[in-house]
Amino acid sequence: QVQLVESGGGLVQPGGSLSLSCAASGFALDYSTIGWFRQVSGKEREGVSCISSSDGSTYYADSVKGRFTISRDNAKNTVYLQITSLKPEDTAVYYCAAGNPWFCLLPGGYAYWGQGTQVTVSS
């Protein structure tokens, strides 16, 4: 069955870097749009980045543009989110999702979600 597993989260100092992975099983992710979202307790889930299944185009929220990079390795069936210049406000649980949404930074169109990985940015 379809499964997404995030990994790579942890505690990082402000200004540091981190790489998150989203490993897919049960489907080939190159035929799905993959999105990265984050959520802080008590707040709405926020789309941070996504990569389109149609043409591979990438999209970023304004809050992370220039600092986050999404990429896909079809051979490994894995999507990555490389994060640099981390800020305390980046602290959240990060989730990956797969599906075929019309607008990939919105969560509603995704059929499958991972369990999340915690990213904490603190001195």
Side-chain angles (χ1 to χ4, degrees):
Q1 64 184 74
V2 172
Q3 188 173 8
L4 298 171
V5 179
E6 303 96 332
S7 62
L11 176 63
V12 184
Q13 294 183 9
S17 300
L18 200 63
S19 182
L20 306 182
S21 299
C22 175
S25 61
F27 71 104
L29 58 75
D30 56 320
Y31 294 110
S32 295
T33 294
I34 305 296
W36 281 98
F37 296 80
R38 65 187 182 188
Q39 188 168 29
V40 178
S41 181
K43 300 183 68 175
E44 294 183 346
R45 188 164 296 189
E46 174 191 18
V48 296
S49 184
C50 50
I51 183 165
S52 174
S53 64
S54 59
D55 60 3
S57 297
T58 58
Y59 304 90
Y60 299 92
D62 289 342
S63 60
V64 307
K65 188 176 181 180
R67 301 187 298 115
F68 287 28
T69 302
I70 190 170
S71 62
R72 176 161 51 197
D73 187 336
N74 291 333
K76 294 182 171 63
N77 214 31
T78 300
V79 171
Y80 303 94
L81 185 68
Q82 299 194 75
I83 310 172
T84 61
S85 302
L86 278 160
K87 305 174 181 180
E89 52 263 45
D90 294 321
T91 296
V93 177
Y94 283 72
Y95 301 88
C96 66
N100 291 285
W102 292 109
F103 304 101
C104 61
L105 287 177
L106 299 177
Y110 290 92
Y112 305 103
W113 293 82
Q115 85 289 349
T117 185
Q118 176 72 48
V119 172
T120 302
V121 184
S122 177
S123 298

